[in-house]
């Protein structure tokens, strides 16, 4: 067992992207994307577990223990998103080489922290150093649920708390509520990772303040008040799915 943070990432709308490219173009695009994402993960002392098509699975805290694994993982997600923004600009500057859908590529990332089983697993003829367990599954759920909530980086409450122990307020979070995920009977608090403190604009901070007020009104069953405040926060949203 090892205390660690697990990362799952996936490209939004990858099926549509792959349909518009031939095999050589898709291979070139994915090698550039996966290479850039992996370098960011490794630079932040994360370990690549595997690629699953366009998905990246990584871990922070194994095989070498990292006391600040959650903080490093949260920072890595934001640097990954920054790098992808740079790649989108590069691909667009290359003109007709890539279709417009490639210029708008977005990646969704999910994180969770906790005890995981880590080690060599597989058969006698082929095995892999990998991880498994309930906390790994929850990280995958964070990534898949991000689509439903219209966010690009989502983490469970355990990651936020562990991150704040080592990074203070360096990473900006937005509480989104609680969800019941497959395999768990109790609701799990979860959060959006909005960005690094030095990059978050005053407009985004006002958006988060309004969203928090809207959430409080929702929990108080002030439905009309919640709709009104959420509407105002929505106008300030920094990350709108479908927009770069």
């Amino acid at each position: 067992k090892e205390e660690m943070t697990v990362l799952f990432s996936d490209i939004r709308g990858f099926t549509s992207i792959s349909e518009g490219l031939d095999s050589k173009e898709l291979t070139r695009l994915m090698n550039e994307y996966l290479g850039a994402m992996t370098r960011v993960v490794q630079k932040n002392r994360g370990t690549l577990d595997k690629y699953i098509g366009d998905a990246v699975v990584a871990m922070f805290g194994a095989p070498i223990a990292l006391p600040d694994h959650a903080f490093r993982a949260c920072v890595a997600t934001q640097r990954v998103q920054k790098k992808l923004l740079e790649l989108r600009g590069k691909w667009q500057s290359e003109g007709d080489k890539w279709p417009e859908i490639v210029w708008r590529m977005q990646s969704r990332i999910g994180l969770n922290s906790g005890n995981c089983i880590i080690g060599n697993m597989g058969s006698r003829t082929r095995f892999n150093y990998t991880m498994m367990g309930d906390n790994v599954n929850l990280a995958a759920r964070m990534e898949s649920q991000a689509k439903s909530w219209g966010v690009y980086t989502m983490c469970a409450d355990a990651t936020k708390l562990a991150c704040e122990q080592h990074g203070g307020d360096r990473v900006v979070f937005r509480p989104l509520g609680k969800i019941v995920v497959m395999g768990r009977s109790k609701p799990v608090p979860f959060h959006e990772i909005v960005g690094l403190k030095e990059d978050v604009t005053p407009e985004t901070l006002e958006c988060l303040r309004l969203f928090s007020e809207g959430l409080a009104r929702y929990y108080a069953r002030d439905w009309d008040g919640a709709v009104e405040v959420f509407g105002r926060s929505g106008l300030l949203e920094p990350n709108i799915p479908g927009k770069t």
Side-chain angles (χ1 to χ4, degrees), residues 75-148:
V75 170
T77 65
Q78 298 312 293
R79 290 179 175 164
V80 160
Q81 299 292 15
K82 275 189 175 182
K83 186 62 182 178
L84 183 53
L85 178 62
E86 293 175 10
L87 287 175
R88 289 200 298 269
K90 172 184 174 294
W91 293 329
Q92 186 170 5
S93 71
E94 293 172 346
D96 295 337
K97 181 178 179 180
W98 303 108
E100 187 175 343
I101 193 171
V102 172
W103 309 346
R104 301 197 309 268
M105 182 190 292
Q106 294 275 12
S107 181
R108 288 197 171 93
I109 305 174
L111 297 179
N112 183 44
S113 303
N115 282 322
C116 304
I117 307 300
I118 186 79
N120 293 329
M121 302 176 193
S123 70
R124 292 181 62 186
T125 56
R126 182 166 180 169
F127 58 86
N128 185 30
Y129 181 81
T130 189
M131 55 190 169
M132 63 174 59
D134 181 57
N135 283 313
V136 178
N137 296 337
L138 185 55
R141 298 284 182 265
M142 290 295 104
E143 185 276 317
S144 62
Q145 286 293 317
K147 179 179 180 179
S148 302

Side-chain angles (χ1 to χ4, degrees), residues 44-83:
N44 287 275
R45 298 189 66 185
T47 300
L48 178 71
D49 183 329
K50 62 176 72 74
Y51 303 120
I52 308 173
D54 62 299
V56 177
V57 184
M59 61 188 92
F60 293 77
I64 299 174
L66 296 171
D68 58 348
H69 53 85
F71 174 64
R72 289 181 177 275
C74 289
V75 170
T77 65
Q78 298 312 293
R79 290 179 175 164
V80 160
Q81 299 292 15
K82 275 189 175 182
K83 186 62 182 178

Side-chain angles (χ1 to χ4, degrees), residues 6 36 178 181 231:
V6 180
K178 297 180 180 181
V181 299

